[in-house]
Amino acid sequence: MNLAGLDLNLLLVFDAVMNERNATRAGEKIGMSQPAVSNALNRLRYVMRDELFLRGPDGMRPTARALELEVPVRRALSEIEQALDPVVFDPVTASRTFTVATTDYASLTLLPYVAKYLMEEAPGVNLHTIPIEGRLYEKLDAQEAHYGLTALGEVPGRFGREDIGTDHFVCLMRNSHPLANYSEIPIDEFAAARHLLVTPRGDANGFVDDYLRSEGLSRQIAMTVNGFGSVPMIIEASDLIVSIPSTMAEKCCEFFDLKVLPCPVPNPEGVVGEVLIWHQRLTDNPAHSWFRDIVKRAGTDLNMKGISWPAQPMS
């Protein structure tokens, strides 16, 4: 294709519609009206000789050709954006979006501090989060996300990493729970209790179960959820206990009257906390250096908040 005859703004429209699957939301994202987005799509359809998007009950569905174009177009736009970035980044006047693939653990604990810094220092900078979906490295390679924020150990050499903080597991329960009277829960009574398991991947097994098996014990997992958001409501309304990171337990106790005790099961080996990772191609970019500093400062604020109950060291 001869690029001289292609308006590169059409690729911005394509990328926005691919992300949003909706012409109105895509227009809001890139500052265009819905009719202007539709007009741009018609022009792009003519150039590509393909419908690209078909309307369906759940929004605009990409055609096979559009799916083929998704990653190359996104990569090209990202590289153009990086090439045109100023040598010096001024957050006060900047207008851009950083995309982070993460979990609700980081969203509930770390991102409130990030939001505070963005509000105070960079009012034109936006943060867009997407789910990891078990494809973190693939999303970073394909530039679907600028960053990953999750609990990780070793990462491949093509990525940079910054440890944002460490954490340890504690037990969370309602104040009237029978085990709440202990200062340290006996392992046999812990195993006999009814448990809630947070399992993002849906596996009904965790490090607690592995340890209990090694001790000849097992537990009843009475309920599983795939995120932390519902945990405090479930714990407050039931006789379940849950083993979760202490930072998340503290967040739950800010809004609910719950009891936290040390977890009788040793913590898993490796990193327990948050790690920020990115593709090495972003390492020297001024805007991304600034963003990483924001996340590091947010992590420092979170870690300085402290834990108000006995902490079990990581094993």
Side-chain angles (χ1 to χ4, degrees):
M1 176 181 292
N2 184 358
L3 291 180
L6 176 65
D7 180 356
L8 295 183
N9 286 321
L10 298 181
L11 299 183
L12 291 173
V13 174
F14 172 86
D15 186 57
V17 175
M18 181 62 77
N19 279 324
E20 301 296 332
R21 300 293 204 269
N22 179 281
T24 301
R25 291 198 302 270
E28 292 172 351
K29 182 176 180 179
I30 58 177
M32 294 177 63
S33 66
Q34 187 274 331
V37 170
S38 296
N39 180 59
L41 279 179
N42 287 334
R43 292 168 58 197
L44 195 56
R45 285 169 173 140
Y46 176 78
V47 172
M48 297 296 177
R49 294 179 172 83
D50 189 271
E51 283 297 306
L52 297 179
F53 297 96
L54 301 173
R55 295 190 181 278
D58 54 348
M60 302 184 72
R61 297 178 177 177
T63 64
R65 177 60 174 151
L67 292 172
E68 290 176 354
L69 291 170
E70 179 180 13
V71 172
V73 167
R74 184 168 296 137
R75 182 181 296 121
L77 291 174
S78 177
E79 291 178 356
I80 291 172
E81 180 182 48
Q82 293 172 37
L84 298 178
D85 272 342
V87 176
V88 178
F89 177 74
D90 182 5
V92 175
T93 59
S95 177
R96 65 178 303 151
T97 298
F98 293 96
T99 301
V100 179
T102 189
T103 63
D104 69 338
Y105 170 59
S107 297
L108 290 166
T109 59
L110 183 68
L111 293 193
Y113 295 94
V114 175
K116 177 177 179 292
Y117 280 124
L118 293 180
M119 177 188 69
E120 294 173 347
E121 301 179 19
V125 172
N126 304 316
L127 178 63
H128 177 55
T129 66
I130 61 174
I132 293 175
E133 298 175 322
R135 297 178 50 248
L136 180 55
Y137 296 148
E138 292 91 333
K139 290 189 175 189
L140 294 173
D141 282 330
Q143 302 186 37
E144 296 176 32
H146 299 114
Y147 291 94
L149 188 58
T150 185
L152 287 173
E154 296 297 321
V155 300
R158 66 186 184 277
F159 299 109
R161 65 170 290 163
E162 182 75 41
D163 292 351
I164 303 303
T166 59
D167 211 336
H168 60 276
F169 280 86
V170 295
C171 289
L172 185 69
M173 65 199 74
R174 57 183 170 84
N175 270 305
S176 57
H177 194 285
L179 297 182
N181 295 321
Y182 286 105
S183 58
E184 294 186 2
I185 306 172
I187 190 66
D188 56 339
E189 294 199 36
F190 173 82
R194 301 174 72 244
H195 291 254
L196 170 68
L197 175 64
V198 181
T199 170
R201 296 180 180 177
D203 302 327
N205 184 83
F207 76 93
V208 169
D209 303 282
D210 296 335
Y211 178 80
L212 291 177
R213 274 193 295 272
S214 72
E215 297 294 310
L217 299 169
S218 64
R219 63 173 175 167
Q220 178 188 358
I221 299 175
M223 184 179 293
T224 65
V225 292
N226 60 10
F228 289 99
S230 62
V231 165
M233 288 82 81
I234 294 172
I235 293 300
E236 185 181 54
S238 70
D239 65 345
L240 301 178
I241 66 173
V242 64
S243 301
I244 60 174
S246 60
T247 304
M248 178 58 65
E250 182 178 71
K251 178 62 66 174
C252 293
C253 290
E254 287 184 10
F255 303 99
F256 295 86
D257 187 22
L258 302 173
K259 181 67 175 286
V260 178
L261 290 173
C263 183
V265 171
N267 278 243
E269 294 183 0
V271 175
V272 180
E274 290 299 327
V275 177
L276 183 71
I277 70 170
W278 63 93
H279 202 285
Q280 290 283 14
R281 61 175 170 261
L282 302 178
T283 296
D284 297 325
N285 181 279
H288 287 278
S289 296
W290 171 85
F291 181 76
R292 291 194 296 273
D293 181 66
I294 286 290
V295 177
K296 287 167 59 178
R297 282 192 278 158
T300 299
D301 290 345
L302 180 61
N303 292 332
M304 286 179 61
K305 189 172 183 181
I307 305 299
S308 57
W309 47 80
Q312 175 180 319
M314 291 179 61
S315 62

